[in-house]
Amino acid sequence: MKKFSLTALLIAAGLVFGLKTDAAGLGYIDYQKVSDAYPVAQQAIKEVDSKTLEIQQFMVDKEKQYKSLDTPLKKQNFEEQTARELKTKQDALMRLRAQKEELVYNKIQAATKQVLVEQKLDAIVDYRVIFIGGVDITDLVIQKLKSGQF
């Protein structure tokens, strides 16, 4: 999937360069750098990490309870119940992670679109597809996000 995504970005960059001979209308962004500097993204990571730690603690507690059981039937029932509870918690964690990633992505994308308009750029691509030229807008997007508009 990453290979396909990178190929698609390279093709898109090739089309942009083919249609426009000056690279002044092309911006590029380092998404990871923006995400790392964005407080909302950092808070989202903390929330997901906190839920992950809760699941780990849940398993530690269940292991202690399991050791105190004395019959094979009780152990089997306990294992089945614990497996169901764990699956529910893991599914909730995956939903939370997806929601937070989408929220952060949408906010970064909105800020990036605003910079695109303000800087009168034709397109913004990932920095990994730029070899020479273009305008790095990473810091401008970070400033937009930190301004509290998003």
Side-chain angles (χ1 to χ4, degrees):
M1 186 67 176
K2 279 191 167 200
K3 194 174 198 178
F4 173 76
S5 177
L6 185 57
T7 303
L9 285 172
L10 289 172
I11 290 171
L15 290 174
V16 170
F17 282 122
L19 296 175
K20 187 166 174 106
T21 55
D22 66 0
L26 181 67
Y28 60 91
I29 185 171
D30 182 344
Y31 184 87
Q32 188 62 49
K33 181 178 176 183
V34 172
S35 181
D36 289 346
Y38 188 30
V40 172
Q42 297 310 307
Q43 183 60 36
I45 290 169
K46 287 179 184 176
E47 289 178 40
V48 170
D49 287 348
S50 173
K51 290 293 181 188
T52 302
L53 289 175
E54 285 179 24
I55 291 174
Q56 289 173 350
Q57 186 59 49
F58 168 80
M59 290 307 296
V60 168
D61 294 343
K62 290 296 181 178
E63 187 176 328
K64 289 177 185 175
Q65 291 174 7
Y66 180 80
K67 289 179 180 178
S68 69
L69 298 175
D70 54 356
T71 66
L73 182 58
K74 285 182 182 178
K75 287 184 177 188
Q76 181 180 0
N77 290 338
F78 184 82
E79 287 173 355
E80 291 169 1
Q81 177 65 28
T82 300
R84 285 191 297 273
E85 289 176 29
L86 179 61
K87 173 107 173 78
T88 301
K89 289 180 181 294
Q90 288 174 329
D91 290 347
L93 175 63
M94 295 306 289
R95 282 191 304 275
L96 175 67
R97 179 178 285 135
Q99 289 170 344
K100 294 299 180 178
E101 286 174 355
E102 183 177 3
L103 172 79
V104 169
Y105 177 81
N106 289 340
K107 288 180 180 259
I108 291 174
Q109 186 178 41
T112 303
K113 285 179 182 178
Q114 191 172 10
V115 170
L116 175 111
V117 171
E118 291 172 357
Q119 297 296 313
K120 298 179 175 124
L121 297 170
D122 297 321
I124 297 174
V125 297
D126 187 82
Y127 77 102
R128 294 173 289 186
V129 300
I130 299 294
F131 188 64
I132 296 175
V135 178
D136 184 357
I137 61 150
T138 302
D139 292 332
L140 294 172
V141 173
I142 291 170
Q143 289 173 358
K144 282 277 179 219
L145 291 168
K146 286 187 175 181
S147 72
Q149 295 176 350
F150 301 94

